[in-house]
Amino acid sequence: MSDLWDALRLRTAARIGLGRTGDSLPTTRVLEFAAAHAAARDAVHQPLDVDALVADVTAVGLGDPLVVTSRAGDRSEYLRRPDLGRVPADLESVSEVGADVGFVLADGLSPIALAEHGAGLLSALKDVLAPRYSLAPPVIATQARVALGDHIGAAQKVGTLIVIIGERPGLSVADSVGIYLTHLPTPGRADSMRNCISNIHPPGGLGYADAARVCAALVEGARTLGRSGFELKDNSRALK
């Protein structure tokens, strides 16, 4: 017999219509929840395969990526000390490029997500941005929070910084990345001065091309407005 919830489950990753066995959930649903919880924990703790990501990012064709790290010494310290993930350990390898747009690929709270989607999303961003703007070589940042990108963008002297970062995993999605856009990046920027595009994880979430289209509209808007953040609105539908 077909489950009455089947049609709705096709439209959401949320756990709905779980059913019951006596006073408890069915065993299948309990095991599914346990597996999702384990996947979320693995996504947080599994270290980024930097060499593999470097190879994938190099193939995008924006130049050889630099690799930097935060002041968090390891994953445990990164999770306990968010403040250390916001500042770089060393930026001597990062030089001024003065490009219109810069890119940081950060492991964030899901290195698995960055490994899965980082290079593909970067390629889509290159496709929509390269015809109009000069693009800086990408930087890969480990044990990184979003604000670490401000230091990198300031060192590169880019006009607008795009941070691609692994998002906090949940019980429905463990491999989602987000984009954080900051115009005129400089250390100390408040989160209210950024724009976020989240839930990027095709095929279940936002696709690379759609995310890149929204990001391109935000880049154009930030350059026109002179700033990013809460005053900058997404007009990507109007530009279609």
Side-chain angles (χ1 to χ4, degrees):
M1 179 178 177
S2 177
D3 193 323
L4 296 176
W5 291 90
D6 284 349
L8 290 176
R9 289 196 189 99
L10 295 175
R11 298 178 176 274
T12 177
R15 287 176 170 76
I16 58 174
L18 298 182
R20 59 184 293 178
T21 300
D23 293 330
S24 302
L25 292 173
T27 300
T28 298
R29 301 305 185 194
V30 174
L31 293 176
E32 288 173 350
F33 182 89
H37 186 260
R41 288 178 60 87
D42 288 346
V44 170
H45 291 284
Q46 181 170 314
L48 178 67
D49 187 338
V50 176
D51 291 340
L53 184 59
V54 165
D56 291 343
V57 171
T58 300
V60 173
L62 285 173
D64 294 335
L66 300 172
V67 179
V68 302
T69 190
S70 74
R71 291 184 185 174
D74 54 32
R75 199 65 184 166
S76 176
E77 187 173 46
Y78 169 79
L79 295 172
R80 289 183 289 106
R81 293 285 306 274
D83 56 316
L84 296 181
R86 299 185 181 108
V87 289
D90 182 8
L91 289 183
E92 287 188 4
S93 61
V94 179
S95 58
E96 178 180 341
V97 293
D100 294 326
V101 180
F103 302 95
V104 172
L105 290 88
D107 52 3
L109 287 169
S110 181
I112 288 176
L114 185 67
E116 178 71 21
H117 302 295
L121 180 54
L122 180 65
S123 180
L125 288 166
K126 175 192 171 187
D127 289 344
V128 297
L129 294 173
R132 300 189 60 186
Y133 308 109
S134 58
L135 308 181
V139 177
I140 296 171
T142 62
Q143 314 294 14
R145 304 277 175 172
V146 172
L148 179 61
D150 294 334
H151 297 265
I152 297 169
Q156 289 186 318
K157 294 191 182 303
V158 296
T160 306
L161 182 71
I162 295 171
V163 176
I164 301 171
I165 190 167
E167 294 186 310
R168 183 186 303 274
L171 293 174
S172 57
V173 178
D175 64 344
S176 178
V177 294
I179 289 174
Y180 286 83
L181 181 148
T182 308
H183 191 61
L184 302 178
T186 186
R189 284 288 194 206
D191 287 340
S192 60
M193 299 305 296
R194 313 185 199 282
N195 294 84
C196 177
I197 306 167
S198 64
N199 202 39
I200 306 168
H201 58 97
L206 187 64
Y208 302 150
D210 286 337
R213 175 178 53 81
V214 174
C215 188
L218 289 173
V219 170
E220 179 179 347
R223 291 171 64 86
T224 300
L225 187 64
R227 54 191 175 276
S228 53
F230 66 94
E231 294 178 276
L232 176 60
K233 308 304 180 184
D234 170 24
N235 67 344
S236 57
R237 294 181 180 177
L239 296 178
K240 290 179 68 174

